[in-house]
Amino acid sequence: MLERLNTESLPRLPADVEKPIYDRSRLTPGIVHLGMGAFHRAHQAVMTDLAMQASGDLSWGILGVSLRSAATRDALTPQDGLYTLALRDDGPDGKTREQLRVVGSVLRVMVAEEDPNAVLERIAYPQTRIVSLTVTEKGYSHEPATGHLRWDDPDILHDLENPHRPRSTIGMLVYGLALRRERGLPPVTLLSCDNLRGNGDTLRSLVLAFALRVDVGLTHWIDAHCTFPNSMVDRIVPGTGDHDRQRIAERLGVQDAWPVVGEPYMNWVIEDKFAAGRPAWENHGGATFVRNAAPYERLKLRMVNGPHSTFAYLGALLGHQTISESVRTPALRQFVNAMMQHEIGPTLKGIPDSGLEEYRRRFLARVGNPALPHPIAQVAMDGSQKIPQRLLDTIQDRLRTGDDIQRLTLAVAAWLHYLRGEDETGGRYGIQDPMAARLAKLLARADVAARASAPSQAAHRRAMVLAAFKPVFGDLGRASEFVSALAAHLETLRLHGVMRAVEAAT
């Protein structure tokens, strides 16, 4: 039985494993992070670790908060917050390479559901200067199509009545900031690192909307003093499997209960608007600070996230298990490549064609990385929260200029067809989506409408009902070109399958 990774075992790790060389006993907490999943630990936590090592400023330790699950807390607490990041790719010789680094920036992980008031106290801790978030799109309790706070969300309703035991991300932030204001403490930066359009602006509007229901004075204080930088993070981070744990333990010579696996590529762009300082994240090339992150965010949402989701939904319908399997399917690769070239790229004004070409090629190489099999289920989950900014925004831009939307609309149709829960081989899979129940009713209603229509109108009627679902599609359901294209693609997928649909749209 191997000993556990912890502070005592750190000096005995193999020489080829990178590790923090600063004195972790001198670390003090400066960041509270909500959402201690693999994505955060593969980017912000490791870049904070490297920044502190480079600068010697050890005041940016991370107090992590898992919103509901105790798994990360239970794994990292016996390890003194330490964990391993394994970066994997294929070398020039075709053999898999893996670089290991033990990350030391996490001081402690707590579980909000167990003691929500303790989270508020940490947000109101005098040394806290940044509260950051990777809670996924669904963690914002907002309507994807409009960005507005969902006042009917059960957690939001609960939090309005229970200020000392909030459940939602927005409630925790607002009540934590209220404590800071009551105690005369300085403001903080609220840094969203999630895949949302204008993630900082979106977070700001949601926080202010909730605060207005709590205390008008608090709303003014947040608006005047706290900052909400927009940011963009790009790194592929699949979930960790038992085979990863075993392989990494063999390399380390100690047991790491929850290592993180990711790709070497990393791109982090942040607006440099911090209310109370920040780590020197730029020192190791991991972050670029800009005045306006919107162009970088749009590029990533459209040229990475949109195609990523497209590979996921088309591949899932074919019975694929990983994204790399879909990328290695010539018809799917050709289709997504053409979608990026001819429908997505032209919407990204101001970026030279050569730059888009390089971005497209690099994306296809990244998602096809055989050393990093990314489960399709992970990319496909929560589509109702992802589709608006990943695909629908691009479709709307194309419609405004009268341009073709056939490939983009097939990607949307693939998501809707995926929601039926069965692939073309007869395999069944579960749908993970915060709107799963509503979407199931929507699909059933669309089928009823189609059956009640004349045969020649059934496909169009089905598409009309689906596109009229405002929480996802907003006003796009009124666009006749979109509805007609959606109807045709849904019918092809239903009657003939993915390969015929892809062939017809390429």
Side-chain angles (χ1 to χ4, degrees):
M1 183 71 176
L2 293 175
E3 69 172 311
R4 195 72 170 265
L5 173 66
N6 55 32
T7 302
E8 291 184 2
S9 64
L10 199 56
R12 298 192 294 275
L13 296 180
D16 63 345
V17 175
E18 297 180 10
K19 51 185 176 289
I21 59 174
Y22 51 83
D23 183 358
R24 291 188 77 236
S25 68
R26 294 176 50 230
L27 274 182
T28 57
I31 299 172
V32 172
H33 184 81
L34 307 184
M36 281 299 291
F39 189 55
H40 163 72
R41 292 192 287 133
H43 86 275
Q44 185 185 345
V46 68
M47 293 316 304
T48 301
D49 178 64
L50 292 169
M52 291 192 295
Q53 183 157 294
S55 68
D57 181 358
L58 303 185
S59 65
W60 295 106
I62 297 171
L63 293 171
V65 179
S66 292
L67 298 183
R68 289 179 173 83
S69 172
T72 304
R73 189 271 312 278
D74 293 347
L76 297 191
T77 297
Q79 299 180 182
D80 303 320
L82 297 169
Y83 66 92
T84 312
L85 173 63
L87 301 181
R88 293 172 59 83
D89 67 351
D90 276 1
D93 59 359
K95 295 182 179 179
T96 298
R97 303 179 295 189
E98 184 171 62
Q99 176 187 352
L100 302 185
R101 178 177 180 84
V102 173
V103 178
S105 56
V106 177
L107 287 167
R108 178 187 172 194
V109 180
M110 51 202 305
V111 181
E113 191 171 65
E114 294 178 358
D115 190 354
N117 192 61
V119 178
L120 305 185
E121 289 291 338
R122 287 299 180 181
I123 294 174
Y125 193 66
Q127 290 176 276
T128 298
R129 289 173 281 170
I130 295 173
V131 180
S132 52
L133 301 85
T134 48
V135 295
T136 76
E137 297 90 339
K138 65 184 175 186
Y140 288 78
S141 303
H142 74 313
E143 191 172 83
T146 64
H148 296 156
L149 192 63
R150 287 184 51 227
W151 295 108
D152 61 345
D153 182 285
D155 289 341
I156 294 296
L157 291 170
H158 170 274
D159 291 356
L160 289 171
E161 299 296 327
N162 297 274
H164 300 296
R165 297 191 60 81
R167 293 176 184 166
S168 73
T169 301
I170 302 303
M172 288 180 197
L173 292 176
V174 170
Y175 291 128
L177 292 174
L179 281 181
R180 293 192 70 85
R181 175 172 171 259
E182 289 171 13
R183 296 172 183 178
L185 295 172
V188 295
T189 298
L190 291 94
L191 176 62
S192 170
C193 297
D194 285 301
N195 287 323
L196 299 170
R197 64 169 87 88
N199 54 11
D201 294 336
T202 297
L203 178 61
R204 177 179 175 274
S205 69
L206 297 173
V207 165
L208 292 177
F210 190 95
L212 192 59
R213 294 281 186 99
V214 175
D215 180 349
V216 173
L218 174 63
T219 307
H220 293 321
W221 183 84
I222 295 171
D223 190 30
H225 301 292
C226 295
T227 57
F228 298 79
N230 292 303
S231 70
M232 181 280 290
V233 186
D234 191 3
R235 170 170 269 174
I236 295 173
V237 186
T240 303
D242 289 339
H243 58 288
D244 297 312
R245 292 181 176 88
Q246 181 178 350
R247 183 186 69 252
I248 291 167
E250 291 173 357
R251 282 275 309 275
L252 294 176
V254 296
Q255 188 69 42
D256 183 347
W258 209 319
V260 178
V261 181
E263 64 173 333
Y265 178 82
M266 168 77 175
N267 190 15
W268 189 14
V269 178
I270 318 168
E271 292 175 352
D272 204 355
K273 302 188 297 187
F274 287 78
R278 59 170 175 79
W281 282 317
E282 70 273 34
N283 278 1
H284 276 260
T288 301
F289 288 94
V290 298
R291 294 182 62 185
N292 179 15
Y296 304 90
E297 169 203 273
R298 188 178 302 112
L299 176 65
K300 193 245 181 171
L301 285 170
R302 297 189 179 192
M303 288 286 278
V304 174
N305 296 127
H308 213 187
S309 291
T310 303
F311 274 127
Y313 296 124
L314 292 172
L317 294 174
L318 290 173
H320 296 171
Q321 299 301 309
T322 66
I323 295 294
S324 57
E325 186 179 358
S326 295
V327 178
R328 292 194 302 270
T329 302
L332 298 193
R333 184 185 178 97
Q334 180 183 353
F335 171 78
V336 173
N337 183 58
M339 183 178 77
M340 296 174 75
Q341 269 188 307
H342 302 301
E343 294 188 18
I344 298 176
T347 70
L348 297 165
K349 307 300 183 185
I351 300 175
D353 289 344
S354 58
L356 289 174
E357 173 78 5
E358 171 60 25
Y359 205 89
R360 179 177 55 80
R361 290 180 182 275
R362 182 169 56 195
F363 164 77
L364 292 171
R366 290 169 60 202
V367 295
N369 180 0
L372 202 68
H374 200 170
I376 275 179
Q378 184 181 352
V379 181
M381 67 188 297
D382 302 337
S384 68
Q385 312 298 299
K386 297 174 178 177
I387 290 295
Q389 59 260 24
R390 295 186 178 199
L391 294 168
L392 301 186
D393 283 352
T394 315
I395 289 173
Q396 288 176 322
D397 279 357
R398 299 280 293 176
L399 288 174
R400 290 188 193 101
T401 53
D403 293 317
D404 186 36
I405 57 169
Q406 288 299 317
R407 298 179 184 90
L408 287 161
T409 307
L410 174 55
V412 177
W415 168 61
L416 290 167
H417 200 65
Y418 165 85
L419 292 175
R420 297 182 180 275
E422 183 175 348
D423 65 36
E424 294 180 7
T425 71
R428 301 288 301 178
Y429 50 82
I431 301 299
Q432 298 183 61
D433 195 291
M435 292 188 178
R438 298 174 71 185
L439 291 168
K441 291 179 181 178
L442 175 69
L443 291 172
R445 193 162 66 247
D447 287 343
V448 169
R451 287 195 296 269
S453 303
S456 62
Q457 295 297 314
H460 194 267
R461 182 60 183 160
R462 177 183 285 108
M464 284 183 64
V465 172
L466 295 172
F469 187 61
K470 279 186 168 292
V472 172
F473 293 99
D475 293 332
L476 187 57
R478 299 177 182 175
S480 58
E481 303 96 322
F482 172 69
V483 175
S484 296
L486 186 65
H489 291 314
L490 285 170
E491 196 70 354
T492 303
L493 287 170
R494 188 175 71 87
L495 297 177
H496 305 293
V498 167
M499 288 304 185
R500 181 78 69 84
V502 164
E503 181 184 355
T506 301

